[in-house]
Every structure is written in structure tokens, then in C-alpha cells.
Amino acid sequence: MKLKELVEQLTVVSVQGELDVDITGITINSREVKQGNLFVCIAGIPGLQEDRHLYIDHAIEAGAVALIVERDIVAQVPTIKVPNARFALAMLSTHFFGYPSHDLKLIGVTGTNGKTTTSHMIEAILAHANYQTGLMGNIGTKIGNKIVKSNINTQEPHKLQANLAKMKNCSTDYCVMEVTSQGLDMGRVIGCDFRTAVFTNLTDDHLDYHGTMDKYLMAKGTLFSRMGNSYSYEHSKHKFAILNADDPASELFHGLTTAEVITYGINNPADVMAEDIQLTVSGTTFRLVTFVGTITIECSMVGAFNVYNALASIATALAEQIPLQLIQQALSEFKNTSGRMEIMEGSQDFIVIVDYAHTPDAVNNALSMLCELTNQRVITVFSCEDDHNEGTTFSRIRDIAAKHSDVVILSAEHLSNEAMNSMIQEIANGQGIYTSSNNITFELMPNGHQAATRAIELATTGDIVFIAGVDHKTEVQQILKEYQTRNRDEVGDIVRTEDIPIRA
């Protein structure tokens, strides 16, 4: 594509140099530049992204043949100055890859917790209905039958649009995309024509980026406010907003969107509701009451929060006119998303669950639910942070773990030596929350592997080991394999589990 064609998509520009240049791709990373690329110099975000203007020379040396900039630059290649390089990046990427979201149905899922599980549930239902599906999110990007891992949740526009184009070329019917508040605020999904926007929940998170809950709320709200103002008589062109009736933020999102709203919930009246919920450590059953009928749902997902995830996916599927019986079948066969309240299978006589929970709300939801499902001990593992003063994310998670656990094992791999020594002293001396009067045992291990190993060695019949944070699945599987091939008597020589009492 000629640079001239790309520049014509922008209105307010200042051009230096010739535009009769062939563009082979678009990037914002000088290390990824290939010959013929357009290098977009987005402004920096302190602590998050560097100013790309600093890497112009590197980009040109690597083969960049044109630049998008936000300030006056003297360069040996054509330079296009724009007011907002991020907006230009999204707009030009969308045009370069042929507006792919216009040719498939794009479903965006946003919220503090539950995005990944809800996205995968929606995708599973659509696939069960024989649609070709794609996925973008925390675990990676699914195009056709391949999944490519990603180090970012909501991708930058040039990669996002490229992946949507690949899905289009694979005759994908639906793409289900996790949409983060940061991605929305940075304009990463500008150019995406969402058919459906799904909201899971809102709790305090990412305040290091947004600053306040109001700004965080409004960032989420942009997904719903940008769905357009037009309406079509064709159902295939209808737009939907799927909102959690039990979350106060839904009222704002309802007012922001012109899409047709479908609500779901447990406590407040909604279009899609769960009643007679039965929770066990092996799965969940509930009576589904909807505007098209009532049916019993059984799934292997654990916890009330996963009932909400299921309801969100069901409401989304109903918007696509998928029959209840087919939804029921899909959810009965759905397996936990990797690392999301996932029970680690093995021959041990206790339960080991790994979960991505890394916010206070997510950890609280998981642990409070697990406490209701067992009369035995709950042993919790999660990673420390340097800043463990009152009110920090770590201190709040620690306090929640102490409230709902009998044993809390902390992993110190992210601690500085100073912070680690301080915590060792606090635990040894029983200071503050670490006091023995709380009837909670705290331990600090050097790293996540040793922390998980310690938890599994401590566990006895009926206990639940809950390992929270980043995806520990592969690591925990290996620990369990080693554990099961060892003589349990050897472990007893090292750890005297009877010294740690069962919660009253």
C-alpha cells in the first residue's frame, strides 16, 4: 500500500517528503521494524511505555521508510506530523488491514474480573453451535485451530487489526476479545466494530494507571459509548450490551450505550437469571431463567463468581439466537480455562486449585467460596510485593488470605532483600497480622515453586490448597507428580501437619 493512501485517511497532518512510497507494514517497536515499514512514534506513558520518538534512528536503520510523529522531526525519510499518534496508529492500521471487523462479528468483554473465563465460555458456546471462532486475550490469540501466546491482553492496534485480518481470511464468524481499561484508554480498539459489548464487574484495580475509580469507570464505559448510533432492520447488524444487573456500574453503561441492553444477574431482576444455585468443589448447578425459557445448567466451574461468568456468556449467546438446549450442552462440556479456578487432577486425597486471582476482590471471591465448601483447612499461596504497608494491594490480599485461610504461604521472589528481611522479622516476632493469636500460620518461602511445594506437603485429607496469582498450572502439575511418586512417610519426617490446627 502506498504511503499516500494511508495519509489520505488523516485530516490534520503536516507532511515532509514524498508520499509515493510503498508501505509493507506498521509498527511502534523499532526492534520489530522490517524493510518498508511505517514507524509510528507514539508518545510515552511514564512507567509503562517509552516515547517512540527516541528510537527514530534505530527504526530507520532497521528499514523504516516513513514516520508518523507528534513533533517536528528532521529525518531522511518522509515524516507525517499528527496531533495524536495513537489515534493515527489505530486509524491507519484499520485501513491497512482492510477493516476486518466489518466482516466478522466482534464481541468485546470488559470488567475487572472474569474477562478470560467469560470470553472462553462465549467462544465455547459459539463453537458448539458450529460457528468458526477466534479469541484474543490474556492466554493468547486463537486463529483457526492455532493459539499464539501473547504478552499483552488487549493488543496494540497494528497487531490487533493484523490478527483480525487473519481471522477474516480463515472465514471466522465470531471473534471474542478481552478488552481492558488500559487498552480502551490508549485507543487500542479504535477501528473495531463491536457487535456486542459484555460487562462482568467493576472493583478497584489498575488505579496506578487510572488514578481514580471514576476514571477507571469511564475508561470501561467507552466500550459501550462507542458502539454507534445507527440501527438496522437486519438482525446480523444489531448491536448488544450485556450488563451485570448486580453491579452498580451497569447503570452508567446502560445510559452510555445505544445498543440493545440484555441484563443478567442473581440478586436483582434481570433478563437472564440463576436460581437455586448449588455449589460444590467439583462443579455448579443452577436453574437458568431467561426471556426465552427456563432450563437447568450444570457445569464443572467452581464458585458463585463463575455463575456470573456463565450468565454473561449465556446472555451473549441468546443475543445470537442460540437455543437454550445447545447452550446447556456447551456449558456441560466446558472445562475450566487454564489457570482459572482449575482443579489439578491427581491421586492425592486433598484438592489443589490454581487461579489467576491477583486483585483483592478476586482473591476474596475465591477464598470465601472455598471456605464454604470444606470443613477442613484452606492453605493459600501467593506472591509478596515490596510495598506491604496498610492499604496496598498486597496488604489487602494478605489480610483477605488471613481471614479465610488456616495457613498462608508467601512467596518472596519479587521482594527486595530489605523487604524480605523485614517480613521475616515480622513473621518471626508475630507482629501485626502475623501474630499467633489470629490462629493463622504464616510462612515465607524464597520462590513460588518452593511455596507451592510447601503447601502441597502440608496438605492432609480433605484440605484445599489454593495457589493464586500468575498461571502456576504447569509448575504445580510437576510438583504434584513428584509428590505422588514420593513416599508420604518421607514428607512426614519433614513436616508435622498435625501441628497446624483445623479451622473451627
Side-chain angles (χ1 to χ4, degrees):
M1 183 176 291
K2 293 292 184 181
L3 177 61
K4 182 177 186 296
E5 181 180 341
L6 286 172
V7 173
E8 286 174 349
Q9 309 309 310
L10 303 170
T11 302
V12 182
V13 295
S14 174
V15 177
Q16 299 291 329
E18 294 296 321
L19 297 181
D20 189 26
V21 177
D22 288 317
I23 300 297
T24 60
I26 301 172
T27 186
I28 60 172
N29 189 335
S30 61
R31 293 168 297 187
E32 297 177 355
V33 169
K34 293 182 172 59
Q35 184 61 43
N37 278 186
L38 171 65
F39 184 62
V40 181
C41 301
I42 57 173
I45 301 174
L48 190 63
Q49 284 187 327
E50 292 186 277
D51 187 337
R52 298 307 200 265
H53 293 81
L54 302 174
Y55 299 94
I56 287 175
D57 291 341
H58 293 94
I60 294 173
E61 288 173 9
V65 294
L67 306 172
I68 298 289
V69 298
E70 289 186 356
R71 51 180 181 259
D72 293 329
I73 295 291
V74 177
Q76 55 189 339
V77 298
T79 302
I80 297 90
K81 182 182 175 183
V82 297
N84 186 331
R86 278 206 159 275
F87 178 81
L89 173 65
M91 198 170 185
L92 298 183
S93 297
T94 305
H95 184 77
F96 185 84
F97 289 103
Y99 304 89
S101 65
H102 292 183
D103 295 308
L104 48 80
K105 293 177 181 177
L106 186 58
I107 299 172
V109 181
T110 197
T112 306
N113 301 309
K115 292 188 296 294
T116 300
T117 299
T118 300
S119 296
H120 282 249
M121 280 183 164
I122 294 170
E123 189 271 341
I125 295 171
L126 292 169
H128 198 79
N130 293 320
Y131 290 109
Q132 295 296 316
T133 60
L135 267 173
M136 286 191 194
N138 205 308
I139 291 177
T141 301
K142 173 180 174 282
I143 302 172
N145 295 320
K146 295 182 180 179
I147 297 178
V148 180
K149 287 192 174 183
S150 173
N151 60 357
I152 189 171
N153 199 322
T154 305
Q155 300 166 10
E156 291 287 4
H158 58 296
K159 294 188 176 181
L160 187 154
Q161 295 295 336
N163 282 326
L164 286 177
K166 291 175 184 176
M167 291 182 191
K168 170 188 170 182
N169 293 338
C170 290
S171 301
T172 300
D173 299 305
Y174 290 89
C175 172
V176 188
M177 180 194 300
E178 294 181 48
V179 186
T180 65
S181 59
Q182 289 177 322
L184 286 162
D185 189 64
M186 293 180 186
R188 289 176 179 166
V189 295
I190 291 174
C192 291
D193 184 19
F194 287 99
R195 170 176 172 81
T196 301
V198 183
F199 169 60
T200 58
N201 52 67
L202 190 80
T203 60
D204 53 341
D205 192 20
H206 302 304
L207 297 188
D208 54 339
Y209 175 85
H210 294 288
T212 67
M213 278 299 292
D214 284 344
K215 289 181 179 179
Y216 180 36
L217 174 67
M218 291 310 297
K220 292 288 189 189
T222 57
L223 178 61
F224 301 91
S225 65
R226 295 174 180 171
M227 294 187 72
N229 216 34
S230 63
Y231 183 77
S232 172
Y233 67 90
E234 297 178 50
H235 182 269
S236 62
K237 295 182 180 179
H238 288 190
K239 291 182 180 280
F240 301 94
I242 312 298
L243 301 179
N244 182 350
D246 294 339
D247 193 296
S250 290
E251 184 177 356
L252 173 66
F253 300 156
H254 195 303
L256 288 175
T257 190
T258 55
E260 183 176 359
V261 172
I262 300 175
T263 58
Y264 67 92
I266 297 173
N267 301 316
N268 293 323
D271 302 312
V272 178
M273 298 193 69
E275 298 179 352
D276 301 330
I277 301 170
Q278 299 176 37
L279 304 173
T280 71
V281 290
S282 60
T284 301
T285 301
F286 60 88
R287 186 161 63 95
L288 175 67
V289 180
T290 79
F291 52 90
V292 296
T294 300
I295 202 168
T296 298
I297 298 294
E298 295 180 359
C299 60
S300 61
M301 305 297 290
V302 178
F305 49 91
N306 274 321
V307 176
Y308 278 105
N309 295 336
L311 290 174
S313 67
I314 292 166
T316 305
L318 290 177
E320 299 304 326
Q321 300 181 334
I322 295 175
L324 278 179
Q325 288 76 14
L326 194 148
I327 294 171
Q328 180 191 50
Q329 293 168 9
L331 291 179
S332 70
E333 298 173 10
F334 181 79
K335 302 299 181 184
N336 280 15
T337 307
S338 179
R340 268 64 176 180
M341 289 305 289
E342 186 170 8
I343 298 175
M344 296 290 96
E345 300 294 340
S347 60
Q348 74 277 358
D349 56 2
F350 53 87
I351 296 171
V352 180
I353 296 175
V354 296
D355 188 67
Y356 184 68
H358 61 288
T359 67
D361 184 65
V363 173
N364 185 63
N365 286 339
L367 283 175
S368 59
M369 177 272 298
L370 292 176
C371 286
E372 295 177 2
L373 299 181
T374 182
N375 293 321
Q376 299 300 104
R377 296 174 308 164
V378 175
I379 303 171
T380 299
V381 178
F382 68 97
S383 181
C384 299
E385 296 175 7
D386 265 2
D387 188 358
H388 54 275
N389 294 323
E390 291 304 313
T392 62
T393 296
F394 165 70
S395 69
R396 291 167 60 203
I397 292 177
R398 177 201 61 196
D399 295 352
I400 290 166
K403 178 181 177 182
H404 296 297
S405 309
D406 303 285
V407 183
V408 178
I409 302 177
L410 305 171
S411 164
E413 67 251 84
H414 300 305
L415 287 180
S416 64
N417 289 334
E418 181 182 357
M420 182 167 63
N421 291 332
S422 172
M423 188 171 290
I424 289 171
Q425 290 300 314
E426 290 176 12
I427 293 174
N429 298 331
Q431 295 174 243
I433 194 169
Y434 304 113
T435 177
S436 58
S437 63
N438 286 338
N439 294 321
I440 306 297
T441 299
F442 277 92
E443 294 189 13
L444 184 66
M445 303 300 289
N447 55 56
H449 183 89
Q450 292 186 44
T453 300
R454 174 67 169 168
I456 287 168
E457 290 177 341
L458 282 173
T460 55
T461 302
D463 288 349
I464 294 178
V465 175
F466 178 67
I467 303 173
V470 296
D471 190 355
H472 298 281
K473 177 180 177 178
T474 303
E475 189 174 38
V476 172
Q477 285 175 328
Q478 183 59 37
I479 294 170
L480 280 173
K481 184 177 180 181
E482 294 171 359
Y483 168 86
Q484 289 155 9
T485 56
R486 270 199 323 261
N487 187 315
R488 185 62 187 258
D489 293 337
E490 294 178 7
V491 178
D493 293 337
I494 304 169
V495 182
R496 297 201 314 155
T497 57
E498 64 270 20
D499 290 344
I500 301 174
I502 293 175
R503 182 178 62 256

